[in-house]
Amino acid sequence: MRAWVSQALMVFDLGVLAYFLAVNLLYLVFSIVAFFTLVQHRRRWTSRALEIVMRSPATPGISVIAPAYNEEATIEQSLRSLLLLNYPQFEVVVVNDGSKDTTIDTMVAAFALMPAPVVYPQPIATKPVRALYRSLDNPDLVVIDKTNGGKADAINAGINAARYSLVCVIDADSILEPEALMRAALPFVENPNTLATGGIIRIVNGCTVEAGRVTAIDLPASWLARFQVVEYLRAFLSGRVFMSAANALLIISGAFGVFRRDAVVEVGGFRHDTIGEDMEIVARLHKRWRDTNRPYRVVFQPDPVCWTEVPETRKILASQRNRWQRGTCQVLSYHMAMMGNPKYGSVGWFAMPYFLIFEAAGPLIEVAGYLVTVIAVLFGLLDVVFAQLLFLTAVVFGAIISLTSVLLEEMSFRRYPKIRHLLMLAALGVLENFGYRQLTTYWRLKGSIDFLRNKQGWGVMTRKGFAKV
Amino acid sequence: MLVRFAEAFRDALVPFILGGGVLLLAMLALLVGQRLLRAAAASRRRVLVSRYGPIVAAALNSDTPRALETARTIPSRHWPLAGQLLLAPLHVVRGRHNARAAELAAQLQLSDGWRADLNSRRWWHRSEAALALGLLGDRASVPDLIGLLDDEHEQVRAAAIDALGQIGDPAALGSLLARLNDPTRHERARLVEALRVFGEGATAALLDHGASHEADRTLVATVLSFVGGAAARDPLLQWTVAGPADTRAAAWRALAAIGPDERAFYHALKALGDDDASVRAAAARALSRAGRGDASPHLARLLDDQWEVAAQSARALIALGPEGHAALTARVRQGAGLGHDLAQQVLWESGHR
């Protein structure tokens, strides 16, 4: 009996081990490919080359769509920074999604808004638009006031009202760097088959923000936020750069993405019955274009920077991770038809299975691995030294991958000014294996379980606002 | 079997951890080391820039031969840096060539280096060299630059387009125009910019190209709307009469940008009755630039046409002064419909409530 249990445990453990090796090796491959992609990328677009393209009248205009729900504390400042963006032809469309606070009054007072007739065609069905405002101070600002229908519905309403052929979807509370729009628009200029691009999300906690611009970059004071800095670098600089190179990018972060308006309209806009609408729309674009056999690409651009505030308390971070996890699971379940289907190219045979195994099921496998190891040690089936060695291996492997992404950042963008920052980032890559990683795994596991039990809802993100901290 | 595998695995763990640890330390050292090296290089560069910057600036701006003489004393290993200092101010005054810059570049053997780099194996060298020669206005390298228009790397092609535009040698116009059909908008954007630097001189060449390549006419008309001069009016007007609808519409848009004359005005009135909506819309847009109030009744009739046409008509009416405003107000009084909404909107936007 004991021998049998021991055998079973060993087989299971080997399975977990295989998973662990696969995930780390994959990330290593991601990093290597990303390295070459980033080096190429950096040589290509100097600021000056950008400027020449951007001064050209042939460059497409962009409508920036910022959905706002109860953002009275931050809306004025974030709008002012949006209107400062450096791009020849753009407008900002704020969609007030039936806020219950004074968001709309704040904007009316701050930007001299005047009601204007709603006379544009609305190809995507949304909750009714109550009013349209234009700013007397700034001709590039449009505000739409509509009944509450959720973020996706608000984005759709904004897309309906957009004047230009490209739409940029952002969170009203994130800060775009002045050059971000230009850099995000480049793939569309280069290749008209581009359907969507996303930029890198960087963490603003700890940085100095003045008049809607990040003026000094520093690491956050809170440890919880610091861990996320490394996490984001890893996800964006290795993960997404690779996925984009394979034309298998499945996520364009809801905090900052640029889409071709006609493509989004063609697939019917963002879907409102999901919490992962940013991933869902990209999956749908892939599906539609592969189904109709048209050439296309979905691109991650590593240099347009969007600064965003991340949660600093465990409770809010937990609900964010739970939401992300449920979103991923939902999107995968909607698009099961693409899973493993070679008809959908790299998305079908690589991206979808990758997300299923390592994102949706990953936490489950990891937690099971921890549990089984503990049980095995308790019952004397596995000796303690071996378990410790295994854990140490995991830490070393994880640290190598984290440090690789810090190196990638250093080779390509070098945003963190001091050597102290680099050392801290390197240390974080090691430290995160003692607690933070397990915490996020646990939250994601709960997300997966909640998805299986069919729970909905957003959770609350309270913001401090960017007023100088 | 499994047990043996597990044991082999276990034996591999310790070396892996040690190896990984060493790798980690090496990466850390690389991270810190390169930062320190970079800092040292940057401060060295600052010293050199402060030493040579004034010398190069003097050579560019003063007329005395002595300034050039002084520049010649820069040691040859710092010539590339001097090259960068030399090009920096030229970026600002794009297209205006500085004879002294070319002279200085020749003296420091920079121009020769750049000309040689046009055939470099590394694409970024080709691209940088092309841009530099463009800024210097180096006519001798025009044939090579034309060759680079077909380079395998898009950045080099773009740089070549840019450089040819800056040099402004009419000999290159034909090759530039041949690129008009290029699939990437990125190059087209640069091309338009390059033709713009050419100025009015490009208009005639563009028209010739349009006359002989019927398929490119839409594109040529679009480019003309950005760079065209008065000389383009008559040929464009001919293109509005016959041919496919998108060419006619593009020609009207170009005429709108250049500004229609007397003859174009009457043709535009006639085009308001065209079968194709995009042509009607473009003609309405052209009329908005004609500044003649007597177009108002014709435009007012289109206020309930398709949205694109109606919107252009409303915009045109608001631009035509009192008669246009009167037509719009009349349409608002008539009540509901697309025309009503559009008229109300443009009146509101221009402050007539």
Side-chain angles (χ1 to χ4, degrees), chain A residues 167-204:
Chain A
V167 289
C168 170
V169 178
I170 61 157
D171 280 346
D173 47 27
S174 43
I175 299 176
L176 289 190
E177 290 203 338
E179 264 193 2
L181 271 190
M182 279 195 196
R183 292 195 175 272
L186 272 172
F188 296 94
V189 178
E190 269 180 353
N191 183 343
N193 288 331
T194 309
L195 298 183
T197 59
I200 189 168
I201 312 289
R202 288 176 184 270
I203 292 176
V204 77

Side-chain angles (χ1 to χ4, degrees), chain A residues 196-395:
Chain A
T197 59
I200 189 168
I201 312 289
R202 288 176 184 270
I203 292 176
V204 77
N205 305 44
C207 300
T208 317
V209 178
E210 279 163 5
R213 299 255 171 121
V214 174
T215 50
I217 297 174
D218 205 341
L219 289 173
S222 122
W223 282 95
L224 210 52
R226 281 183 187 172
F227 285 123
Q228 293 175 67
V229 173
V230 183
E231 211 183 0
Y232 275 51
L233 282 182
R234 209 167 43 213
F236 282 96
L237 288 182
S238 318
R240 297 213 184 158
V241 169
F242 175 86
M243 288 290 191
S244 165
N247 199 19
L249 188 67
L250 266 187
I251 305 187
I252 280 183
S253 167
F256 179 39
V258 179
F259 298 85
R260 228 169 69 188
R261 182 178 181 270
D262 60 343
V264 178
V265 169
E266 183 182 326
V267 297
F270 284 71
R271 191 166 162 167
H272 15 85
D273 55 354
T274 170
I275 34 181
E277 79 282 332
D278 45 358
M279 181 175 174
E280 202 281 330
I281 184 97
V282 180
R284 202 138 35 94
L285 287 172
H286 276 294
K287 185 162 187 317
R288 180 61 166 253
W289 258 254
R290 300 251 188 198
D291 275 341
T292 51
N293 247 331
R294 283 176 283 178
Y296 76 102
R297 44 176 217 162
V298 174
V299 184
F300 170 74
Q301 281 285 86
D303 45 9
V305 178
C306 168
W307 295 92
T308 195
E309 199 184 339
V310 297
E312 290 193 350
T313 67
R314 241 183 290 170
K315 200 175 148 215
I316 298 174
L317 187 61
S319 87
Q320 181 198 49
R321 292 307 154 98
N322 185 302
R323 196 176 70 234
W324 285 3
Q325 188 69 15
R326 276 181 293 141
T328 308
C329 294
Q330 272 188 353
V331 175
L332 289 177
S333 69
Y334 289 151
H335 293 284
M336 262 305 168
M338 287 202 281
M339 184 72 68
N341 189 341
K343 185 183 154 200
Y344 295 100
S346 48
V347 179
W349 66 259
F350 180 68
M352 294 289 288
Y354 172 85
F355 270 89
L356 181 69
I357 298 171
F358 298 110
E359 296 290 329
L364 213 77
I365 300 173
E366 263 178 64
V367 169
Y370 285 123
L371 281 181
V372 168
T373 310
V374 169
I375 292 173
V377 170
L378 283 183
F379 282 82
L381 295 170
L382 195 69
D383 71 90
V384 186
V385 182
F386 185 56
Q388 281 168 342
L389 276 181
L390 267 184
F391 182 68
L392 205 59
T393 313
V395 171

Side-chain angles (χ1 to χ4, degrees), chain A residues 44 114 189 410 414 416, chain B residues 34-35 38 155 186 353:
Chain A
R44 282 170 65 131
M114 296 287 278
V189 178
E410 183 65 12
R414 219 169 298 119
Y416 289 94
Chain B
Q34 58 91 27
R35 239 332 142 85
R38 253 177 235 287
Q155 190 89 4
H186 161 56
R353 301 272 229 130

Side-chain angles (χ1 to χ4, degrees), chain A residues 25-41 237-246 404 408:
Chain A
L25 285 176
L26 263 180
Y27 248 89
L28 224 51
V29 173
F30 285 5
S31 306
I32 293 166
V33 173
F35 173 75
F36 290 105
T37 317
L38 286 174
V39 167
Q40 282 284 322
H41 186 87
L237 288 182
S238 318
R240 297 213 184 158
V241 169
F242 175 86
M243 288 290 191
S244 165
T404 313
L408 279 181

